[in-house]
Structure formats: C-alpha cells, structure tokens
Amino acid sequence: MTTGTATVGPTGPGPARPSGAGQPLGPAGSAAAVALPPRAERAARAQEAADRLRTAAVEAVAVTWVDNAGITRVKAVPLGGLTHAAQWGVGTAPCFDLFLADDAMATSPAVGGPTGDLRLYPDVERAVPLAAQPGWAWAPGDRYTQGGAPHPGCQRLFARRMAAAAVGRGLSLKAGIEVEWVVALAGSPQEAPQYPTHGPAYGMHRLTDLSDYLRDVLRALGEQGLAVLQIHPEYSPGQFEVSVAPEDPVGAADTSVLVRHTVRAVSARHGLRVSFAPVIEAGAVGNGGHLHLSLWRGERNLGHGGSGPYGLTAEAEGFLAGVLDALPELLVLGCSSPAGYLRLVPSHWAGAYQCWGLENREAALRLVTGSTGERATAANAEVKCFDASANPYLAVGAVIATGLAGLDQRRALPPEFTGDPAAAEPGTVPRLPEGPAAALAAYEGSAVLREALGEPLYQAVLAVRRAEAEQYAAATPEEVAAAARWRY
Ligand code: GLU
Ligand code: MG
C-alpha cells in the first residue's frame, strides 16, 4: 500500500472504460419508483397505520420534509385526519424549495413564486409514535403535484429514484448517518453557549454528569424502533454522538431526521438546548453527519471478497471512485450551510482532504472493513466530509448517483493515502473546497448531478446555496457560526 508521501490524483478522470451502463439516472429512468400508489390503497394503509397509532395514544401526526437549506419543515394533522391526508395530501407551498436556513427566500426562474400548491403525502408505513413527545407521531412526507405527479423538486423522491436506479442495476445499498450534537443550557440563544458538563472529550465524566439524559435519549430511540449501535461523548464541550444500524438509503435519511428530533425533544425535557450545526463555536471541532454506505448484490456485500484494495469488488471500487472524484460537488448537497466550511478543516477528523484511506479519519472517504471475521457484513465506506446541515435525502441520493456513475464507467480508485494529509508535502493531497463558492463551481460542472437531480431540483439547490453564500460572504467566522448555531 502507498504511504503518506504518495501522490494521489482523485480529481483525474481515472481509467474509465466503455460501460455496460445501466438505466439513466435522470427522472425518466426511474419514474415508476416514485409513482403515487392508487388512492384506495393509500387509504387502506393509512387506516391501518391510524389504528396502530391510536393504540399508542397518538393524537396528532407531524409530517416532515427537509428543504434545500437542510431545515426540517412540518405540517401536522390530527390522527383522525391521517387517512384524508394519505388520500389527498396536505397543502404545502412550492416556494418552500427556495427557503434559506434563516427563513429568507431565494429566487429562481426554475421554481414558482407564492402561487401554486403541492401535496405532502405522509409515508404511513414509517409513521411512529414519538416517545419524547407524548400524543404525537411522526411520518416523513413525499411531495406531489395536485394532479398526482411526483414533484420534481421533492428531495425524498429524488433519494427514492436513486435507490431505484441501484436496484435497476441489480444492486442495493445499506446506509447509516451518524448524528453528532452539542447540548447547552437553555439560556438565551443570543448568549454564548454554556455547557451542562465540563468533562473531558470521550470521558466517562461527561456520561456520568448527564447519565439520566443519555439514558432517556437511548430509551426514546429504542421505543421508536431504532437499533442504536453506540452512544458516547464526543470531542467538543457538550458534544455527543449516536449511531444506529444501517438500513435502506431512504430509510437511513428518514432515520437521521427522526434521531435528531428525538434528541431535540429529550433535550428540551431536560432543560437543554441542542445544536446539530456544523460548528457551534468557530475554531472548535464541529458536528459531522458522516454517511456510511455499503453496496450489495443480493446477499453479497460488494465491499468484501473482491480483488481490489482491501477486498473491494470491481463494482464497489468503481462506485467509491465515482464518489471520491465527485466530492467537491457533493459538498453542495452534503454540507449545506456556509458554517460547514468552518468545520471542514484539517486535523479535526472532518475529512477535509479529497483522498481515501483504510480507517483514515482525515480522509474524506474512509474505508471501514470491520474486524476479521465480520467483514462480509461490516465492510463499508464512510463519507466523512458531510455534516447535519445537509438535507439527508439529497446527500444520500447524490452519493448514490455519483457512485453509480463511477460504477457504470468501471472506474478504479487512485492510490490510498495513509496518515495525516496535513503533514504531507503541500499540494500532495487535494483539499476539498474551502468555501461554498468552490463547491458551487464544481456543482455547476457536474453533468451527473444535473441529470440525476433533474433541472428543477438542480436549479433550486443552486439558488439556495448561492443565496446563502452571498448572505455570509463578508461575515466573520464567529458571525457564520452564530447564525447557524441554533438553526440546525
Ligand atoms: N466531529 C468530527 C466531525 O466534525 C468527527 C469525529 C469522529 O470521527 O467521529 O466530523
Ligand atoms: Mg464522531
């Protein structure tokens, strides 16, 4: 294997060969995967879900979608209205696609203004009573037009289309999004954060100080059917992390929304304020939203047992090479807030360099094989450069799109990078974009993302990112951090 002095060239085209490419990634390629089921079927499923929720004393259902700025927005219905909502949808304005994190609105010729209406349909199969919000349930929503056509700007339908594009190639993915957060005492949001524990990083001291709180987080997640893998204190003051079992890509994005709102609800019950923002304080280690992925053909994990690096099969290697190459433009979808670039700096374990490496916490793409003996199930790759200001549906869908493009082109990975890229000869390992402008430039050059997202969603994301980049172009790091601190 190459070492820390190797030159890596992930931005090069790689050894692309003619492909036996699968179906196109654009909206037409997987239209069937996002068609609205017949109304009678939706009504029957909603009735079953409502009966199930009623036994858990649910009175109202919060139906969420995540906007292009990474903010979870909501419409709620009383439980008695769930079946109606599943049949006809709940009204939402199309201009939500241009909302910024501070609730200002961008403009784009590709997205309408204040007129028009969309219908938000709860995914009733995923509806779950909220353990820390008694009487409430949550369900993620998909957005369709009043005529029942998929809304081209719907981020969750985009993720569903990309998962279907993998299935169209005989493949499937398992994904999981790690959630890091900071808890502070619930004082005024204008004041500097005060932390409820001052224990050392990863210290038992912190777990002991907040043991009732952390037990309640675990209990709530468990009661909501989530399989927690780990919970632990993280590096920065007041920082913790929880990870949950991998699942299908859309399920993983849903789960990341549910986990964050559960942590928020439990925190409120303990008099704590919570932040999932990329940084809480400029200069400190921030909150990541690392995305773990494994590629499967039937029961076979393609990250294991092949002849590529560390047993990657050619398909998994092509997939990862596609993702690695596209990381600059992927930041537009995986690192939404300008504050994300304050987190994405060397020697912060945030993955600020465009390279890959086995268990390398400074590489944006970290290969994880697991222990000897468990590799067939555990092998996966972690996109470390993403944070929780991302819309998780856009992040997971865009990674799948660029991965499938790499797979279709039968790409190979460049040499591995071992060690800390910050300690390497300057220029040896490319840094990822250091601000929104460079990421946007890469995004504007990405034919793969443009095709996969489809023009309306591609343009809406572009308008939102440009507007937020302009908002904070002249701001100091402290101002950027403060603006994001309590929004995510
Ligand atoms: N908090 C780090 C980040 O910003 C990640 C630490 C870890 O590797 O879990 O991504
Ligand atoms: Mg962590």
Side-chain angles (χ1 to χ4, degrees):
M1 278 302 124
T2 42
T3 63
T5 53
T7 299
V8 291
T11 48
R17 275 166 272 150
S19 73
Q23 69 195 81
L25 293 171
S30 43
V34 295
L36 197 57
R39 187 159 57 85
E41 189 183 321
R42 300 199 303 274
R45 286 193 202 163
Q47 198 50 56
E48 272 173 37
D51 292 344
R52 169 170 64 84
L53 297 174
R54 196 167 292 110
T55 63
V58 165
E59 294 168 39
V61 184
V63 187
T64 61
W65 75 103
V66 185
D67 71 14
N68 291 319
I71 303 292
T72 302
R73 311 275 176 186
V74 64
K75 287 287 181 92
V77 294
L79 185 64
L82 186 65
T83 305
H84 186 272
Q87 291 185 84
W88 304 107
V90 182
T92 54
C95 60
F96 277 121
D97 287 343
L98 293 174
F99 262 52
L100 310 184
D102 70 353
D103 304 335
M105 259 189 269
T107 53
S108 168
V111 183
T115 45
D117 188 43
L118 293 168
R119 312 307 297 174
L120 175 70
Y121 286 92
D123 183 338
V124 295
E125 253 92 54
R126 186 71 216 241
V128 62
L130 293 173
Q133 290 165 254
W136 284 91
W138 163 85
D142 293 310
R143 294 179 300 150
Y144 288 81
T145 66
Q146 286 177 321
H151 170 47
C154 179
Q155 301 86 352
R156 191 170 184 265
L157 292 180
F158 164 65
R160 284 175 51 183
R161 285 198 290 103
M162 291 306 104
V167 171
R169 287 159 173 79
L171 301 165
S172 64
L173 290 117
K174 286 188 189 169
I177 299 174
E178 290 176 12
V179 174
E180 295 185 337
W181 76 97
V182 166
V183 272
L185 298 173
S188 156
Q190 270 71 43
E191 288 165 14
Q194 301 292 320
Y195 302 104
T197 171
H198 299 279
Y202 308 102
M204 181 63 187
H205 182 152
R206 279 197 206 174
L207 187 147
T208 306
D209 282 352
L210 291 182
S211 64
D212 287 352
Y213 166 67
L214 295 170
R215 180 212 54 218
D216 286 353
V217 169
L218 274 182
R219 186 181 285 167
L221 294 172
E223 284 176 8
Q224 291 168 185
L226 298 175
V228 174
L229 300 177
Q230 280 191 36
I231 189 163
H232 63 85
E234 254 292 341
Y235 189 86
S236 273
Q239 193 179 32
F240 292 89
E241 171 175 332
V242 68
S243 50
V244 293
E247 56 195 306
D248 70 275
V250 177
D254 288 337
T255 292
S256 91
V257 173
L258 179 59
V259 168
R260 280 179 279 155
H261 288 281
T262 303
V263 170
R264 186 178 295 284
V266 175
S267 302
R269 290 181 160 262
H270 283 260
L272 299 169
R273 188 188 297 283
V274 66
S275 174
F276 302 94
V279 287
I280 309 307
E281 302 195 47
V285 168
N287 291 321
H290 308 168
L291 170 62
H292 288 260
L293 277 169
S294 54
L295 187 66
W296 296 70
R297 187 173 285 285
E299 295 300 305
R300 166 124 201 260
N301 182 347
L302 298 176
H304 166 76
S307 54
Y310 301 108
L312 293 176
T313 62
E315 284 177 306
E317 183 176 356
F319 188 96
L320 294 180
V323 173
L324 179 64
D325 187 42
L327 284 175
E329 52 266 34
L330 284 172
L331 284 185
V332 166
L333 303 144
C335 178
S336 160
S337 167
Y341 297 91
L342 298 176
R343 162 189 167 263
L344 195 57
V345 294
S347 309
H348 281 54
W349 288 7
Y353 289 91
Q354 192 183 8
C355 60
W356 73 275
L358 180 67
E359 297 291 6
N360 189 341
R361 287 172 185 75
E362 285 296 330
L365 192 62
R366 170 189 174 200
L367 204 65
V368 181
T369 53
S371 301
T372 311
E374 66 162 359
R375 293 189 171 168
T377 48
N380 70 87
E382 177 185 36
V383 182
K384 274 192 82 83
C385 50
F386 288 1
D387 64 51
S389 68
N391 177 315
Y393 304 101
L394 290 180
V396 84
V399 166
I400 296 172
T402 56
L404 292 179
L407 183 149
D408 288 346
Q409 294 164 4
R410 301 180 191 183
R411 288 197 169 203
L413 280 167
E416 178 189 18
F417 191 86
T418 307
D420 186 353
E425 195 78 14
T428 315
V429 193
R431 267 292 302 273
L432 284 171
E434 295 182 41
L440 274 168
Y443 178 79
E444 288 180 89
S446 171
V448 169
L449 289 181
R450 191 166 192 157
E451 185 201 340
L453 289 159
E455 204 57 16
L457 182 53
Y458 174 85
Q459 292 295 345
V461 169
L462 186 60
V464 168
R465 278 313 166 277
R466 273 188 184 149
E468 290 198 331
E470 279 165 26
Q471 271 183 323
Y472 297 102
T476 63
E478 289 69 27
E479 288 166 343
V480 171
R485 189 175 295 141
W486 305 120
R487 301 302 291 181
Y488 298 99

